[in-house]
Amino acid sequence: MVAPSQPTVQSETYPTDLTDEQWEQLRPYVEVQAKTGPKRRVDLRAVLNGLLYKLKTGCQWELLPRSFPPKSTVHYYFQKWTKQGIWAALNDALRRRVRVEVEGREHAEPTGGVIDTQSAKSSVAGGPERGFDGGKKVFGRKRHLLTDTLGLLVTAVVHSARLYDGAGARQVFAATKARGISLLKVWADQTYRGELGAWMADHAMGELEIVERLPGQRGFEVQPKRWVVERTHAWLSGNRQLSREYDHNPRHSESWLYLASIRLLGRRLATAS
């Protein structure tokens, strides 16, 4: 009787690869074998390593090194885990651990948050949810981030750059509430003025506080609370995949944001252990 062969192991290593400890953190969420059907023949750790390589380098799918599984396989799992909500679930789990194990917070879930957008140019003329941001003079999309007061990513939503911040924030808060996360207070800049605060109160999504510009402020100055989410935008932008909007599907764009956050959270846990 011939023994069943094992999944092909990644032949080369890269600086972006998961460590053994990081893989053990992520494995329970992705390595779920179906109860019926053939045994999986794909090394999911190598798949994740391929996605992390693409995240950091921004290479095209066709240019993934041959030591990773075929680009069609890596892309298949990226789409599958996006549809299943795996990226947001992974980010939530690691964020809770960082808050408690690294930051010493009493509560795993935050009660306060900070929200802000970043406009990103689009490299593709077509595709859904694209538009022109008249304020930033950018054609593309907005990356709408909600973080806790430590700057850890809670929710990412990508939408047209044409959509004003208050309307986009409703999508962010709805997605946050759908995952069972309830905030008592959220800080935002002056672009969120208007009906958003009343809408949040009506839907039990916390209190909105607008951070005012400092008296006599001219040009850029760090403002209380807001700098936290702006720093998170900067952290995530260190990945070349996020230098522009490359994906046709905005949900895939959100997945890259979550994966970039997962990478940071995993490193913080590994460093603290």
Side-chain angles (χ1 to χ4, degrees):
M1 181 176 178
V2 179
S5 58
Q6 297 299 314
T8 303
V9 178
Q10 183 180 328
S11 59
E12 293 185 47
T13 60
Y14 299 89
T16 53
D17 287 352
L18 295 167
T19 64
D20 291 343
E21 182 179 357
Q22 290 167 345
W23 167 239
E24 288 304 314
Q25 294 169 359
L26 307 185
R27 184 176 58 81
Y29 296 88
V30 299
E31 201 172 59
V32 180
Q33 178 66 44
K35 295 182 179 180
T36 59
K39 186 176 180 180
R40 183 189 300 112
R41 297 290 307 118
V42 178
D43 179 4
L44 294 185
R45 181 174 179 174
V47 169
L48 273 170
N49 284 340
L51 291 173
L52 289 169
Y53 181 92
K54 178 169 169 55
L55 170 70
K56 186 63 178 178
T57 66
C59 72
Q60 297 176 337
W61 288 107
E62 292 78 7
L63 298 181
L64 276 177
R66 294 180 180 273
S67 54
F68 296 121
K71 66 99 176 176
S72 58
T73 300
V74 179
H75 189 253
Y76 164 78
Y77 278 98
F78 177 72
Q79 290 182 308
K80 177 181 178 180
W81 291 333
T82 295
K83 291 178 181 178
Q84 293 176 337
I86 295 296
W87 304 120
L90 256 174
N91 185 77
D92 286 345
L94 295 181
R95 185 190 65 250
R96 296 185 193 109
R97 287 190 58 193
V98 168
R99 286 180 58 86
V100 174
E101 298 174 24
V102 180
E103 297 294 337
R105 294 300 175 102
E106 181 180 357
H107 302 291
E109 289 292 8
T111 56
V114 192
I115 192 168
D116 195 21
T117 64
Q118 177 190 67
S119 294
K121 293 182 179 179
S122 173
S123 63
V124 182
E129 298 189 46
R130 300 177 192 269
F132 185 70
D133 178 354
K136 302 287 181 62
K137 308 299 181 184
V138 170
F139 178 83
R141 291 173 174 155
K142 284 183 180 178
R143 296 165 179 165
H144 222 133
L145 301 189
L146 174 66
T147 72
D148 65 9
T149 54
L150 298 170
L152 307 180
L153 180 64
V154 176
T155 300
V157 172
V158 176
H159 54 72
S160 169
R162 183 186 302 116
L163 191 65
Y164 79 95
D165 290 355
R170 297 188 184 193
Q171 298 181 30
V172 175
F173 292 128
T176 303
K177 188 174 183 179
R179 301 203 316 278
I181 303 171
S182 299
L183 300 177
L184 300 179
K185 193 167 188 176
V186 178
W187 287 268
D189 66 24
Q190 297 179 73
T191 62
Y192 293 88
R193 286 190 182 279
E195 300 176 354
L196 179 61
W199 179 87
M200 290 173 62
D202 290 343
H203 292 79
M205 293 187 179
E207 175 191 354
L208 179 67
E209 179 175 323
I210 303 299
V211 179
E212 304 286 353
R213 291 172 66 88
L214 301 173
Q217 177 179 338
R218 303 180 68 179
F220 174 78
E221 285 190 34
V222 175
Q223 295 180 323
K225 301 294 184 182
R226 274 192 54 203
W227 68 270
V228 172
V229 67
E230 291 168 351
R231 181 185 60 180
T232 303
H233 276 295
W235 282 343
L236 303 186
S237 295
N239 299 283
R240 294 193 68 180
Q241 181 66 35
L242 299 175
S243 62
R244 281 177 176 260
E245 273 296 303
Y246 293 106
D247 289 272
H248 180 84
N249 187 340
R251 305 292 81 79
H252 291 172
S253 299
E254 293 166 5
S255 294
W256 291 118
L257 291 166
Y258 281 120
L259 185 56
S261 174
I262 289 165
R263 182 170 175 266
L264 290 172
L265 293 169
R267 286 185 169 187
R268 290 193 65 178
L269 287 170
T271 301
S273 63

